[in-house]
Amino acid sequence: MMDINKAPIMNQPIMKEPKMDQPKIVKPDYKEPLILARNLTKVYKTQKTRLRALAAVDIDIYQGEFVAIVGTSGSGKTTLLSLLAGLERPSAGRIVIMGRGIHRMTEEQLVDFRLRDAGFIFQSFNLFEILTAQENVAFPLMARGVGKQERMERAKELLTRFQLGKHLHHKPGELSGGQQQRVSIARAIIGEPSIIFADEPTGNLDSHNADQIIDILRDISKSRGTTVLMVTHDVERATHADRIIKIEDGRIV
Amino acid sequence: MKIFDILHLAALNLYRRLGRSLLTVIGVVIGTTSIIIMIAIGLTNLAQFDEMLQGAEITKIQVSGNSTDQGMGGGRGARLDDAAVSAFLDIEDVDRVVPVKYLQAHAEAEKYHADYLNILAVPAKDLPSMAELKKGIYPREESLMPQIIMGMGAAKQFIETERDYLNRDYRGPAFDWLKTPIHLYLGGRDLKDDKDMPGSRQYRADIVGIIRDRNEEYPNYDIYMSLERVKDIQRENHKLVRELNGDINSYDIAYVYADKMENVKTILKRLNDYGYEAYSDTEWIDEMQKQQRSQQGQLAALGFISLIVSAIGIANTMMTGVLERRREIGVMKVVGVAIKKIRDIFLVEAAMIGLLGGLAGVLLSHIFAYSLSTGSEETIFLGMYFRAGIKMLIPLWLDMAAMGIAIVVGIIAGIFPTTKATKMSPLEAIRS
């Protein structure tokens, strides 16, 4: 059992051992890709123009992979992430995640998918301003109907592990960018999702904090077997990922 | 997500935007207060009106004969006699008929005298329905002595000298009327000295009852005797009666009572068809009620207008709130909060604004009502007259209804912006 108090210093990966003080989540071992996308196409229509953001993309992502999707702005990388997360519907093509067709799901099923199987990290953190760090982290559990005492206890544990034990009752406005992003990572993983979608998670951070966040993400994927899908334009940091998918003009190159 | 969590989030959101929440609440307060006050004013006016109706006898029709018209039976004039009374009784929905004779008399009591007394002669059995007694008893039908009941206003007509007439504060003789016999003569005092007219017999009469005054300022001026005894007196003085153009067997007026107010109109028509003059308070009461209803409607409309204005206020606040919180809503969606739950959070916020505003509005209305009620002057407001010292009524149901309306308005005003909020694409919302 790992001693939290001896947690490594900040620029080291925080979680070294696969086994944490919570029981390891047993997930079915997919021989098939965890995420499978075929002929994925997205066309944005405005009154005058049609913009093809994504053109017939095929992707396979396996369990426990830390994948970086890189590309310049407007390349379609964020669109790809939105589609894979079920936040937007593809114009054509299909997405199968853990054997389930995301592209065919009803809004209700998508909400449930995001609630149980997906965690999100954003460039601008997007924490709830009116809630404390602890309440923010506990929010996904609240959405699942977990009782207050339990969810707050788990949020406290997670924040302590992320060196934020002293900031439990601070509002996001009282935290630094790096701290906020760690809170938001804690929020993303508290529900123990299979996949974490990260949209430019280092975009608003200085290099020290950015490195730290990348390390944490990597650690999550290695120690928990959680699949991490990160969109970034930071090619240098993307090299820390297991695999880099480069996207240009809506196509994988 | 549990209900408690939703309530907590909604309350937290309101608290965080305290300034704007309060402004919206004030809007609801104004709406609720004005609707309560408007309706309360209407209700108060209505209560005053009902109080007034208590005095009016809404089923009573006053009928008088018509000597020129050829009434029922073809050849006979519309004469009010026993045949007419029984014909009235046969009209559908007529409850009872009270024939009345007007009798003029003069009287003496000890050293006092009254020169022109107007006496109403009513069948002994109907007297209790015509006058309420303060003390004493009603005249008995079988009594051979003339028995009288009168109000203390009528007592002022007994004077000692002409000077008493001129004294505005004159209250009449101070003796105990129930123990003081009076002498009664048919006809006015002027007949006494008229040598050409047959003289009236002298009757010893007893005052057996004193009629209750309606209130202290307006004493009762009526004098009643039983019709049976008055007919005897007329018979015994038939020569004098004939000289005065009187008719022993006919009545001056008759009161016809309908069983219900709604039937008054048709009975009135029948009586007119028979050739009688008939009149009922119901006619003006009808008119007043119509006026009442339209005033109530105007008041309610005023109240609702202000409520709608406050509803728009809520909608506006919610709308800005939603725009400001697009990102938050997007995150909630992304985290996996069902659209229904997000909507619940916003609607609960709106309902809370309604509830708070409603509560404060109810409180404020009662303070208003209290301060308005203490006025001691007559007031005319929106064309409605309020007598002095009237208390403004705010019944519990009005409080409850106003609160309910405030909450419902809050929710309705919240629906549009909330629906809009939940339709936004999450990532778009987050990036905005």
Side-chain angles (χ1 to χ4, degrees):
Chain A
M1 201 53 68
M2 171 183 161
D3 190 350
I4 292 169
N5 295 324
K6 288 182 185 165
I9 47 170
M10 289 306 291
N11 55 358
Q12 298 291 314
I14 286 173
M15 285 158 271
K16 274 192 167 149
E17 295 164 52
K19 200 156 168 57
M20 315 206 322
D21 49 356
Q22 280 167 18
K24 171 134 173 58
I25 322 111
V26 182
K27 285 174 180 157
D29 193 15
Y30 286 97
K31 293 193 179 72
E32 289 178 17
L34 187 79
I35 302 172
L36 178 147
R38 292 287 177 271
N39 188 31
L40 205 53
T41 304
K42 180 70 181 178
V43 178
Y44 290 108
K45 288 175 198 164
T46 58
Q47 282 178 336
K48 287 173 188 165
T49 55
R50 287 160 58 90
L51 177 74
R52 180 181 290 205
L54 221 51
V57 168
D58 295 346
I59 285 182
D60 291 331
I61 290 165
Y62 294 86
Q63 193 201 336
E65 264 196 303
F66 179 17
V67 177
I69 302 169
V70 295
T72 51
S73 68
S75 60
K77 57 186 192 305
T78 298
T79 305
L80 180 61
L81 193 75
S82 298
L83 294 180
L84 293 178
L87 294 174
E88 283 179 75
R89 291 181 186 278
S91 309
R94 59 195 177 95
I95 307 160
V96 178
I97 296 180
M98 293 186 287
R100 289 179 292 171
I102 297 294
H103 59 287
R104 282 193 310 224
M105 281 185 175
T106 63
E107 182 59 39
E108 215 168 294
Q109 288 170 318
L110 281 175
V111 164
D112 197 60
F113 162 70
R114 290 198 288 262
L115 187 61
R116 306 200 180 274
D117 297 314
F120 287 85
I121 302 165
F122 304 96
Q123 177 177 6
S124 44
F125 325 130
N126 286 316
L127 297 169
F128 297 110
E129 294 294 323
I130 53 169
L131 302 179
T132 63
Q134 193 180 12
E135 287 167 336
N136 263 292
V137 173
F139 193 88
L141 295 184
M142 181 168 98
R144 288 187 195 182
V146 175
K148 185 168 184 179
Q149 204 177 353
E150 190 191 337
R151 68 185 190 233
M152 292 306 258
E153 193 54 46
R154 283 172 66 182
K156 187 179 169 186
E157 261 173 51
L158 215 46
L159 282 169
T160 308
R161 205 174 304 142
F162 282 171
Q163 316 287 309
L164 289 166
K166 287 179 185 163
H167 302 290
L168 295 180
H169 305 298
H170 288 172
K171 300 268 172 69
E174 296 158 348
L175 299 173
S176 74
Q179 288 171 327
Q180 287 192 54
Q181 195 61 301
R182 275 182 280 150
V183 172
S184 96
I185 293 175
R187 180 176 68 182
I189 65 172
I190 194 168
E192 291 162 357
S194 315
I195 309 163
I196 288 177
F197 297 95
D199 184 14
E200 303 269 15
T202 57
N204 278 6
L205 300 177
D206 57 51
S207 72
H208 170 72
N209 275 309
D211 288 341
Q212 196 186 341
I213 295 300
I214 295 291
D215 283 344
I216 292 173
L217 288 176
R218 191 176 166 72
D219 202 63
I220 290 167
S221 101
K222 294 306 145 225
S223 63
R224 298 191 163 201
T226 307
T227 305
V228 178
L229 215 58
M230 176 177 75
V231 160
T232 183
H233 61 266
D234 183 347
V235 183
E236 197 221 314
R237 283 201 179 76
T239 55
H240 294 279
D242 297 335
R243 182 149 66 100
I244 297 175
I245 294 174
K246 200 169 183 207
I247 200 159
E248 244 170 55
D249 290 334
R251 288 173 207 282
I252 291 175
V253 292
Chain B
M1 196 178 281
K2 290 176 177 161
I3 289 176
F4 176 80
D5 292 329
I6 290 177
L7 288 174
H8 178 71
L9 271 181
L12 215 55
N13 277 326
L14 286 181
Y15 180 71
R16 188 188 155 207
R17 298 164 176 86
L18 195 60
R20 199 170 54 210
S21 303
L22 283 181
L23 274 181
T24 322
V25 167
I26 288 171
V28 182
V29 170
I30 293 170
T32 317
T33 307
S34 35
I35 198 163
I36 292 179
I37 292 290
M38 291 301 161
I39 291 178
I41 287 174
L43 286 175
T44 308
N45 188 243
L46 206 63
Q48 186 185 262
F49 183 65
D50 281 346
E51 201 176 87
M52 207 160 72
L53 284 191
Q54 301 281 302
E57 291 173 85
I58 52 175
T59 57
K60 186 164 103 172
I61 302 168
Q62 183 180 317
V63 185
S64 49
N66 188 337
S67 49
T68 53
D69 199 11
Q70 293 295 302
M72 55 190 284
R76 218 153 56 88
R79 187 166 168 248
L80 266 179
D81 54 14
D82 286 331
V85 168
S86 65
F88 296 165
L89 272 170
D90 286 342
I91 296 175
E92 214 174 322
D93 303 322
V94 168
D95 210 29
R96 59 196 183 93
V97 179
V98 178
V100 181
K101 267 179 183 290
Y102 294 147
L103 190 74
Q104 196 172 59
H106 60 279
E108 286 153 9
E110 294 184 358
K111 56 186 178 180
Y112 298 90
H113 59 90
D115 296 344
Y116 299 97
L117 292 177
N118 288 310
I119 298 170
L120 296 163
V122 174
K125 67 174 168 46
D126 292 315
L127 276 170
S129 71
M130 305 294 285
E132 193 191 343
L133 291 187
K134 183 159 64 182
K135 53 183 178 181
I137 54 164
Y138 289 102
R140 274 194 292 262
E141 190 179 342
E142 62 274 14
S143 159
L144 293 174
M145 288 269 281
Q147 293 185 320
I148 293 174
I149 54 175
M150 71 174 191
M152 288 318 286
K156 291 185 198 173
Q157 296 181 59
F158 286 84
I159 53 168
E160 196 178 352
T161 66
E162 298 301 318
R163 212 175 303 148
D164 292 333
Y165 262 139
L166 305 172
N167 180 2
R168 297 186 72 189
D169 296 328
Y170 184 63
R171 296 257 168 270
F175 44 66
D176 181 353
W177 284 99
L178 294 185
K179 288 179 181 154
T180 309
I182 63 171
H183 291 107
L184 191 71
Y185 307 89
L186 209 53
R189 171 72 171 234
D190 55 331
L191 293 181
K192 198 174 182 180
D193 309 319
D194 194 337
K195 297 291 176 241
D196 298 333
M197 295 289 265
S200 167
R201 290 201 197 182
Q202 186 199 65
Y203 293 92
R204 184 178 174 276
D206 285 329
I207 312 279
V208 293
I210 303 296
I211 299 172
R212 186 179 294 283
D213 300 324
R214 186 174 279 186
N215 59 48
E216 280 177 26
E217 285 167 56
Y218 302 101
N220 189 293
Y221 283 88
D222 295 336
I223 306 169
Y224 285 99
M225 284 176 71
S226 80
L227 182 66
E228 296 80 5
R229 201 76 315 106
V230 166
K231 278 187 176 174
D232 291 342
I233 293 172
Q234 285 191 322
R235 264 183 225 109
E236 283 159 10
N237 297 281
H238 62 270
K239 276 184 191 158
L240 178 59
V241 170
R242 203 178 304 127
E243 287 296 329
L244 294 170
N245 290 326
D247 182 349
I248 297 167
N249 291 317
S250 77
Y251 306 107
D252 293 288
I253 59 162
Y255 292 118
V256 173
Y257 291 87
D259 56 353
K260 287 193 293 263
M261 186 178 171
E262 297 86 84
N263 293 326
V264 167
K265 237 176 204 164
T266 53
I267 296 172
L268 269 176
K269 192 172 178 310
R270 283 288 288 279
L271 292 168
N272 285 326
D273 289 347
Y274 285 164
Y276 294 95
E277 305 265 3
Y279 164 82
S280 164
D281 284 347
T282 312
E283 284 166 281
W284 64 262
I285 289 170
D286 241 24
E287 200 49 49
M288 297 251 317
Q289 274 175 333
K290 261 183 221 154
Q291 211 179 326
Q292 281 281 330
R293 272 194 289 272
S294 86
Q295 278 170 346
Q296 300 283 323
Q298 287 164 9
L299 284 173
L302 275 177
F304 272 111
I305 287 170
S306 41
L307 200 71
I308 286 169
V309 170
S310 64
I312 294 170
I314 301 180
N316 191 28
T317 303
M318 295 299 294
M319 195 83 110
T320 8
V322 164
L323 287 177
E324 214 171 71
R325 287 151 67 190
R326 275 159 75 168
R327 173 185 290 236
E328 203 173 299
I329 292 163
V331 176
M332 280 199 230
K333 271 175 135 177
V334 163
V335 167
V337 182
I339 285 176
K340 212 167 76 67
K341 299 288 181 188
I342 298 176
R343 197 158 41 207
D344 285 351
I345 294 171
F346 277 82
L347 287 186
V348 166
E349 269 188 59
M352 277 178 174
I353 290 178
L355 178 71
L356 288 176
L359 270 173
V362 165
L363 201 71
L364 193 64
S365 316
H366 280 268
I367 293 171
F368 258 129
Y370 179 77
S371 58
L372 289 180
S373 294
T374 49
S376 59
E377 280 171 25
E378 295 179 355
T379 315
I380 294 196
F381 180 74
L382 294 174
M384 280 175 295
Y385 164 82
F386 294 93
R387 68 171 168 74
I390 195 150
K391 285 238 159 51
M392 197 144 127
L393 306 164
I394 303 184
L396 188 66
W397 66 259
L398 183 56
D399 288 339
M400 293 301 186
M403 294 261 290
I405 290 172
I407 294 172
V408 168
V409 160
I411 291 175
I412 291 175
I415 282 177
F416 174 64
T418 304
T419 310
K420 203 178 156 177
T422 48
K423 275 193 181 146
M424 288 186 293
S425 141
L427 276 197
E428 203 179 296
I430 287 169
R431 301 192 151 209
S432 63

